[in-house]
Amino acid sequence: MNEEIKIHSTGLDTLSLYNIAFTVGDLEKSITWYSVVLNFNLVNKTSFEFPSGSASIAILKGSGIRLELIEFPNGKRIEELFAPAPLHLIPIGTKAIVFQVEDLKIASEELEAKGVKFVWREQYIAGDKMLCTMIEDIDGNKINIFQENTTI
């Protein structure tokens, strides 16, 4: 017997991105980096308790999204997740924060002036379809920035 599943307008069809969350090595330094380099603003800073201690959290907002930065005590870096591109694609898991801009050349010049670490700059990937610049934050998290009129 086939029963139709009713989709309600208050259910999954209202799904939207709330935030992107990841762990950082130093919360204060990361807040500063995302504020200075990518123009995010601190919205809230708090901590949460768990049986063996507490973690600190900052919510930043910018570019139409929220970032949740988490500093966990005794955080451990798993080096395979931070391998040089494209080897960072081998481990299963999150790979990069991805943004887009109208003019990648101008955005790349602004990033250079701020002293960011480039993985690559103004390169096409996927043949000649996707022009992007990839940078790393202070923890080595990859941030890919595409020029919007070149994406597939």
Coordinates of all heavy atoms in Angstrom, one line a residue, residues 19-36 38 40-48 55-61 65-72 97 99 137-139 141 143:
N19 N 23.8 28.4 10.3 CA 25.2 28.9 10.4 C 26.1 27.8 10.0 O 25.7 26.7 9.7 CB 25.5 29.4 11.8 CG 25.6 28.3 12.9 OD1 25.2 27.2 12.7 ND2 26.3 28.6 14.0
I20 N 27.4 28.2 9.9 CA 28.5 27.3 9.7 C 29.3 27.3 11.0 O 29.6 28.3 11.5 CB 29.3 27.7 8.5 CG1 28.5 27.7 7.2 CG2 30.6 26.8 8.3 CD1 29.1 28.4 6.1
A21 N 29.6 26.1 11.5 CA 30.3 26.0 12.7 C 31.6 25.2 12.6 O 31.6 24.2 11.8 CB 29.4 25.3 13.8
F22 N 32.7 25.6 13.2 CA 33.9 24.8 13.2 C 34.7 25.2 14.4 O 34.6 26.3 15.0 CB 34.7 24.9 11.9 CG 34.9 26.3 11.4 CD1 36.1 27.0 11.7 CD2 34.0 27.0 10.7 CE1 36.3 28.2 11.3 CE2 34.2 28.3 10.2 CZ 35.4 28.9 10.5
T23 N 35.6 24.3 14.8 CA 36.5 24.5 15.9 C 37.7 25.3 15.5 O 38.3 25.1 14.4 CB 36.9 23.2 16.5 OG1 35.7 22.4 16.8 CG2 37.7 23.3 17.8
V24 N 38.2 26.2 16.4 CA 39.4 27.0 16.2 C 40.3 26.8 17.3 O 40.0 26.4 18.4 CB 39.0 28.5 16.0 CG1 38.1 28.7 14.8 CG2 38.4 29.1 17.2
G25 N 41.6 27.1 17.1 CA 42.6 27.0 18.1 C 42.6 28.1 19.2 O 42.9 27.8 20.3
D26 N 42.3 29.3 18.8 CA 42.3 30.5 19.7 C 41.1 31.3 19.3 O 41.1 32.0 18.2 CB 43.6 31.2 19.6 CG 43.7 32.4 20.5 OD1 42.8 33.2 20.6 OD2 44.8 32.5 21.2
L27 N 40.1 31.3 20.1 CA 38.8 32.0 19.8 C 39.1 33.5 19.5 O 38.6 34.1 18.6 CB 37.8 31.8 20.9 CG 36.4 32.3 20.6 CD1 35.8 31.7 19.4 CD2 35.5 32.2 21.8
E28 N 39.8 34.2 20.4 CA 40.0 35.6 20.3 C 40.7 36.0 19.0 O 40.3 36.9 18.3 CB 40.7 36.2 21.5 CG 39.9 36.1 22.8 CD 38.5 36.8 22.7 OE1 38.4 37.9 22.1 OE2 37.5 36.3 23.2
K29 N 41.8 35.2 18.7 CA 42.5 35.5 17.4 C 41.6 35.2 16.2 O 41.7 36.0 15.2 CB 43.8 34.6 17.4 CG 44.9 35.1 18.3 CD 46.1 34.2 18.2 CE 47.2 34.7 19.2 NZ 48.4 33.8 19.2
S30 N 40.8 34.2 16.3 CA 39.9 33.9 15.1 C 38.9 34.9 15.0 O 38.5 35.3 13.8 CB 39.3 32.5 15.3 OG 40.3 31.5 15.2
I31 N 38.3 35.4 16.1 CA 37.3 36.5 16.0 C 38.0 37.7 15.3 O 37.4 38.3 14.4 CB 36.8 36.9 17.4 CG1 35.9 35.8 18.0 CG2 36.0 38.3 17.3 CD1 35.6 36.0 19.4
T32 N 39.2 38.1 15.7 CA 39.9 39.2 15.1 C 40.1 38.9 13.6 O 39.9 39.8 12.7 CB 41.2 39.5 15.8 OG1 40.9 39.8 17.2 CG2 42.0 40.6 15.2
W33 N 40.6 37.7 13.2 CA 40.9 37.4 11.8 C 39.7 37.6 11.0 O 39.7 38.2 9.9 CB 41.5 36.0 11.7 CG 42.1 35.7 10.4 CD1 43.4 35.9 10.0 CD2 41.4 35.2 9.2 NE1 43.6 35.6 8.7 CE2 42.4 35.1 8.2 CE3 40.1 34.8 9.0 CZ2 42.0 34.6 6.9 CZ3 39.8 34.3 7.7 CH2 40.7 34.2 6.7
Y34 N 38.6 36.9 11.4 CA 37.4 37.0 10.5 C 36.8 38.4 10.5 O 36.2 38.8 9.5 CB 36.3 36.0 11.0 CG 36.6 34.6 10.5 CD1 37.4 33.7 11.2 CD2 36.2 34.2 9.2 CE1 37.7 32.5 10.7 CE2 36.5 32.9 8.7 CZ 37.3 32.1 9.5 OH 37.6 30.8 9.0
S35 N 37.0 39.2 11.5 CA 36.5 40.6 11.5 C 37.3 41.4 10.6 O 36.8 42.2 9.8 CB 36.6 41.1 12.9 OG 35.7 40.4 13.8
V36 N 38.7 41.3 10.7 CA 39.6 42.1 9.9 C 39.6 41.7 8.4 O 39.5 42.5 7.5 CB 41.0 42.1 10.5 CG1 42.0 42.8 9.6 CG2 41.0 42.8 11.9
L38 N 37.6 39.3 6.6 CA 36.4 39.1 5.9 C 35.2 39.9 6.3 O 34.1 39.7 5.9 CB 36.0 37.6 5.9 CG 37.0 36.6 5.3 CD1 36.5 35.2 5.4 CD2 37.2 37.0 3.8
F40 N 33.5 40.2 9.1 CA 32.4 39.7 9.9 C 32.4 40.5 11.2 O 33.4 41.0 11.7 CB 32.7 38.2 10.3 CG 32.2 37.3 9.2 CD1 32.9 37.1 8.0 CD2 31.0 36.6 9.3 CE1 32.5 36.2 7.0 CE2 30.6 35.7 8.4 CZ 31.3 35.5 7.2
N41 N 31.2 40.5 11.8 CA 31.0 41.2 13.1 C 30.6 40.3 14.2 O 29.8 39.4 14.0 CB 29.9 42.3 13.0 CG 30.2 43.4 12.0 OD1 31.3 44.0 12.1 ND2 29.4 43.6 11.0
L42 N 31.2 40.5 15.4 CA 30.8 39.6 16.5 C 29.4 39.9 17.0 O 29.0 41.1 17.2 CB 31.8 39.9 17.7 CG 31.6 39.1 19.0 CD1 31.7 37.6 18.7 CD2 32.5 39.6 20.0
V43 N 28.6 38.9 17.1 CA 27.2 39.0 17.5 C 27.0 38.6 18.9 O 26.4 39.3 19.7 CB 26.2 38.1 16.6 CG1 24.8 38.1 17.2 CG2 26.3 38.6 15.2
N44 N 27.7 37.5 19.3 CA 27.5 37.0 20.7 C 28.7 36.1 21.0 O 29.3 35.5 20.1 CB 26.2 36.2 20.7 CG 25.9 35.8 22.1 OD1 26.4 36.3 23.1 ND2 25.1 34.7 22.3
K45 N 29.1 36.1 22.3 CA 30.1 35.2 22.7 C 29.6 34.6 24.0 O 29.1 35.3 24.9 CB 31.4 36.0 23.0 CG 32.6 35.2 23.1 CD 33.9 36.0 22.9 CE 34.1 37.0 23.9 NZ 35.5 37.5 24.0
T46 N 29.8 33.3 24.1 CA 29.3 32.6 25.3 C 30.1 31.3 25.5 O 31.1 31.1 24.8 CB 27.8 32.2 25.1 OG1 27.3 31.7 26.4 CG2 27.6 31.2 24.0
S47 N 29.8 30.5 26.5 CA 30.4 29.2 26.7 C 29.3 28.2 27.1 O 28.2 28.6 27.5 CB 31.5 29.3 27.8 OG 30.9 29.7 29.1
F48 N 29.7 27.0 27.0 CA 28.8 25.9 27.4 C 29.5 24.9 28.2 O 30.7 24.7 28.0 CB 28.0 25.3 26.3 CG 28.8 24.4 25.3 CD1 28.9 23.1 25.6 CD2 29.3 25.0 24.2 CE1 29.7 22.3 24.7 CE2 30.0 24.2 23.3 CZ 30.2 22.9 23.5
A55 N 33.4 24.9 26.8 CA 33.9 25.3 25.5 C 33.5 26.8 25.3 O 32.4 27.2 25.8 CB 33.4 24.5 24.4
S56 N 34.2 27.6 24.6 CA 33.9 29.0 24.3 C 33.4 29.0 22.9 O 33.9 28.4 22.0 CB 35.1 29.9 24.5 OG 35.5 29.8 25.9
I57 N 32.3 29.9 22.7 CA 31.7 30.0 21.4 C 31.6 31.5 21.0 O 31.2 32.3 21.9 CB 30.3 29.3 21.4 CG1 30.4 27.8 21.7 CG2 29.6 29.5 20.0 CD1 29.1 27.2 22.0
A58 N 31.8 31.8 19.8 CA 31.5 33.1 19.3 C 30.7 33.0 18.0 O 30.9 32.1 17.2 CB 32.8 33.9 18.9
I59 N 29.6 33.8 17.9 CA 28.8 33.9 16.7 C 29.2 35.2 16.0 O 29.1 36.2 16.6 CB 27.3 33.9 17.0 CG1 26.9 32.6 17.8 CG2 26.5 34.0 15.7 CD1 27.0 31.3 17.1
L60 N 29.6 35.1 14.7 CA 29.9 36.2 13.9 C 28.9 36.2 12.8 O 28.4 35.2 12.3 CB 31.3 36.1 13.4 CG 32.4 36.3 14.4 CD1 32.7 35.0 15.2 CD2 33.7 36.8 13.7
K61 N 28.7 37.4 12.3 CA 27.7 37.6 11.2 C 28.4 38.5 10.1 O 29.0 39.5 10.4 CB 26.4 38.2 11.6 CG 25.3 38.1 10.6 CD 24.0 38.5 11.2 CE 22.9 38.3 10.1 NZ 21.6 38.7 10.7
I65 N 25.6 35.4 6.3 CA 25.6 34.2 7.0 C 26.2 34.4 8.4 O 26.7 35.4 8.7 CB 26.5 33.1 6.3 CG1 27.9 33.5 6.3 CG2 25.9 32.7 5.0 CD1 28.9 32.4 5.9
R66 N 26.0 33.4 9.3 CA 26.6 33.4 10.6 C 27.6 32.3 10.6 O 27.4 31.2 10.1 CB 25.5 33.1 11.6 CG 24.6 34.2 11.9 CD 23.5 33.9 13.0 NE 22.6 32.9 12.6 CZ 21.5 33.1 11.9 NH1 21.1 34.4 11.7 NH2 20.7 32.2 11.5
L67 N 28.7 32.6 11.3 CA 29.8 31.7 11.6 C 29.8 31.4 13.1 O 29.7 32.3 13.9 CB 31.2 32.2 11.2 CG 31.5 32.3 9.7 CD1 32.9 32.9 9.6 CD2 31.3 31.0 9.0
E68 N 29.9 30.2 13.5 CA 30.0 29.8 14.9 C 31.4 29.2 15.1 O 31.7 28.2 14.5 CB 28.9 28.7 15.2 CG 29.0 28.3 16.7 CD 28.0 27.2 17.0 OE1 27.2 26.8 16.1 OE2 28.0 26.7 18.1
L69 N 32.2 30.0 15.8 CA 33.6 29.6 16.1 C 33.6 29.0 17.5 O 33.1 29.6 18.4 CB 34.5 30.8 16.0 CG 34.5 31.6 14.7 CD1 35.4 32.8 14.8 CD2 34.8 30.7 13.5
I70 N 34.2 27.8 17.6 CA 34.2 27.1 18.9 C 35.6 26.8 19.3 O 36.4 26.2 18.5 CB 33.4 25.7 18.7 CG1 32.0 25.9 18.2 CG2 33.4 25.0 20.1 CD1 31.4 24.7 17.6
E71 N 36.0 27.2 20.5 CA 37.3 26.8 21.1 C 37.0 25.8 22.1 O 36.4 26.0 23.2 CB 37.9 28.0 21.7 CG 39.3 27.7 22.2 CD 40.0 28.9 22.8 OE1 39.5 30.0 22.7 OE2 41.1 28.7 23.4
F72 N 37.5 24.6 21.8 CA 37.2 23.4 22.7 C 38.5 23.1 23.5 O 39.6 23.2 22.8 CB 36.8 22.2 21.9 CG 36.2 21.1 22.6 CD1 34.8 21.2 22.9 CD2 36.9 20.0 23.0 CE1 34.2 20.2 23.6 CE2 36.2 19.0 23.8 CZ 34.9 19.1 24.1
I97 N 34.9 26.7 3.6 CA 33.8 27.7 3.5 C 33.9 28.3 2.1 O 35.0 28.6 1.6 CB 34.0 28.8 4.5 CG1 34.0 28.3 6.0 CG2 32.9 29.9 4.4 CD1 34.4 29.3 7.0
F99 N 32.5 31.2 -0.6 CA 31.9 32.5 -0.8 C 31.9 32.8 -2.3 O 32.7 32.2 -3.0 CB 32.5 33.6 0.0 CG 32.5 33.5 1.5 CD1 33.6 33.2 2.2 CD2 31.3 33.8 2.1 CE1 33.6 33.1 3.6 CE2 31.2 33.6 3.5 CZ 32.4 33.3 4.2
D137 N 42.5 30.5 6.9 CA 42.5 31.3 8.1 C 43.6 30.9 9.0 O 44.5 30.2 8.6 CB 41.1 31.2 8.8 CG 40.9 29.8 9.5 OD1 41.8 29.0 9.6 OD2 39.8 29.6 10.0
I138 N 43.7 31.5 10.2 CA 44.9 31.3 11.0 C 45.0 29.8 11.5 O 46.1 29.5 12.0 CB 44.9 32.3 12.2 CG1 43.6 32.1 13.1 CG2 45.0 33.7 11.7 CD1 43.6 32.9 14.3
D139 N 43.9 29.0 11.4 CA 44.0 27.6 11.8 C 44.2 26.7 10.6 O 44.3 25.5 10.8 CB 42.7 27.2 12.5 CG 42.7 27.8 13.9 OD1 43.6 27.5 14.7 OD2 41.7 28.5 14.2
N141 N 42.0 26.5 8.1 CA 40.7 26.2 7.5 C 40.7 26.9 6.1 O 41.0 28.1 6.0 CB 39.5 26.7 8.3 CG 39.4 26.0 9.6 OD1 39.3 24.8 9.7 ND2 39.5 26.7 10.7
I143 N 39.2 28.6 2.8 CA 38.1 29.5 2.4 C 38.3 29.7 0.9 O 39.3 30.2 0.4 CB 38.2 30.8 3.2 CG1 38.1 30.5 4.7 CG2 37.1 31.7 2.7 CD1 38.5 31.7 5.5

